[in-house]
Amino acid sequence: MEQFNKSQETHLWYTEYHTPNSGITLKVKETLLRVKSPYQELVILDTYEYGKMMLLDGLVMLTERDEFIYHEMITHMPVNVNPNIKKALIIGGGDCGTLRELSKYPFIENIKMVEIDEEVVKASKKYFPQLTSGLSKNSEIIIGDGIDFVEKTNEIFDLIIIDSTDPIGPAEGLFTDAFYSNCRRILSENGMMVLQAESPYFHADSIKIFSDRLKRIFGFITPYIAFIPTYPSGMWEFIICTKKELDTSLKSKSLIGDFEQMLKYYNHDVHSGAFKLPTFVKKIYGI
Ligand code: SAM
């Protein structure tokens, strides 16, 4: 049998550090794109384990293999809590995965996505067509700053999804009092704002700070979690913000019935399970 000598193996590996001493390391087939936009560096790598992967400023945004978890969970959880959604707004989300999931609900009459970086949308169309195909005819992609958009608009939305990068670079202003106050102003009385809130395992301190801010501004916050293999620690937090206390039960069991076969993570059991938090996560929220 031919002896495989590991020391002679020459491959590219990519590491995203999650802490100074740990991270995720993936073996790379090739670099498909490297572009510097006015906002960030965008890189697309083809990896052996997770397929194509999008990085912004060196951080994993999504991979072909596990993107479904994030996009299903940031979308179907709020919609199935309150299906009375006619108008939806996505801030960020340039890869179009969240837009793809929202497009599955024919009763949503209008979806606007405001993404600051056109390069992200262009790259997604070219390298991740599974994210950008089948978008609702009622959807509109606006290239612009989400902070400006919510400051200037007087349109009212039933669902606002903040699908942003972490609070550095162009996304810094998406975590401020001013931005959240404007989101609340343009949210209908029974509306919901949902955002991705980093890893409760690694980012407990920052989650505590901005969840307190969200509670003060909106009145009510409801956190939930999902397992996402390529994000730091794998455990990822989402928060639904509302003006009234939220009843998290499934409102209509038939709502996702028609396309449940098309989903790979979200289902009725996950819906109720995701709101059940481990003790160390409850402690972050003082519950
Ligand atoms: N799932 C992702 C993650 O890893 O957190 C988020 C993905 S999505 C690619 C995040 C998008 O937010 C990026 O395309 C980025 O350009 C966009 N973004 C950042 N700041 C923004 C702003 N101020 N207005 C609109 N979009 C913004």
Side-chain angles (χ1 to χ4, degrees):
M1 202 171 84
E2 202 182 330
Q3 197 67 34
F4 178 68
N5 184 350
K6 270 198 169 292
S7 65
Q8 285 171 7
E9 198 186 6
T10 52
H11 277 291
L12 285 176
W13 291 81
Y14 180 78
T15 297
E16 176 192 323
Y17 286 96
H18 296 161
T19 71
N21 307 306
S22 70
I24 182 170
T25 298
L26 298 173
K27 193 156 93 177
V28 175
K29 284 186 197 167
E30 65 175 316
T31 303
L32 299 171
L33 178 75
R34 181 184 289 271
V35 42
K36 249 197 179 323
S37 81
Y39 305 101
Q40 52 214 343
E41 185 189 49
L42 165 62
V43 172
I44 314 264
L45 302 177
D46 194 5
T47 71
Y48 282 90
E49 197 62 44
Y50 284 91
K52 285 182 220 135
M53 171 167 82
M54 180 189 285
L55 306 166
L56 285 178
D57 287 339
L59 302 178
V60 177
M61 292 293 115
L62 63 97
T63 77
E64 252 178 328
R65 191 166 162 195
D66 71 349
E67 60 80 17
F68 65 95
I69 307 175
Y70 176 90
H71 293 125
E72 289 184 16
M73 288 300 278
I74 202 167
T75 305
H76 302 299
M77 292 289 286
V79 176
N80 284 275
V81 155
N82 176 4
N84 295 319
I85 294 164
K86 298 277 176 258
K87 290 181 77 170
L89 172 68
I90 301 165
I91 300 291
D95 52 71
C96 298
T98 299
L99 187 53
R100 175 196 65 193
E101 292 307 312
L102 270 189
S103 294
K104 290 176 178 165
Y105 294 101
F107 56 79
I108 304 183
E109 291 167 3
N110 183 266
I111 312 168
K112 287 193 169 63
M113 183 184 99
V114 184
E115 162 61 54
I116 202 166
D117 195 342
E118 193 171 15
E119 292 300 328
V120 177
V121 181
K122 281 205 280 189
S124 199
K125 283 187 176 154
K126 180 162 181 195
Y127 296 102
F128 300 92
Q130 68 277 34
L131 296 176
T132 58
S133 57
L135 303 182
S136 162
K137 290 192 183 62
N138 301 330
S139 67
E140 197 182 331
I141 298 177
I142 299 165
I143 301 299
D145 187 343
I147 302 162
D148 281 356
F149 182 88
V150 300
E151 194 184 315
K152 294 187 180 133
T153 189
N154 284 321
E155 258 187 276
I156 299 295
F157 296 92
D158 307 304
L159 176 65
I160 302 175
I161 299 182
I162 314 296
D163 185 2
S164 73
T165 35
D166 294 338
I168 32 171
E172 209 175 329
L174 298 176
F175 293 78
T176 60
D177 271 33
F179 175 73
Y180 293 143
S181 300
N182 276 317
C183 288
R184 188 185 195 281
R185 179 181 58 79
I186 59 169
L187 199 60
S188 59
E189 264 329 282
N190 293 314
M192 296 169 288
M193 180 180 98
V194 58
L195 52 103
Q196 65 101 350
E198 307 189 279
S199 160
Y201 193 79
F202 283 137
H203 309 127
D205 291 347
S206 65
I207 293 179
K208 169 91 186 104
I209 293 168
F210 69 77
S211 63
D212 283 351
R213 183 175 301 158
L214 290 166
K215 197 168 180 179
R216 174 168 46 77
I217 292 170
F218 284 85
F220 297 90
I221 58 167
T222 309
Y224 62 93
I225 48 176
F227 168 71
I228 304 175
T230 54
Y231 283 2
S233 85
M235 183 188 261
W236 213 246
E237 187 86 8
F238 298 86
I239 303 176
I240 303 178
C241 309
T242 45
K243 298 178 183 179
K244 300 174 177 168
E245 195 160 1
L246 192 66
D247 168 8
T248 59
S249 61
L250 264 177
K251 296 304 170 304
S252 162
K253 289 220 168 195
S254 62
L255 192 61
I256 60 161
D258 293 345
F259 59 83
E260 196 169 2
Q261 298 309 317
M262 292 155 58
L263 302 182
K264 292 192 274 183
Y265 190 90
Y266 180 85
N267 59 37
H268 294 156
D269 294 335
V270 165
H271 182 92
S272 32
F275 290 112
K276 309 268 189 303
L277 303 177
T279 306
F280 82 92
V281 183
K282 281 184 165 188
K283 277 192 181 155
I284 301 174
Y285 295 96
I287 48 181

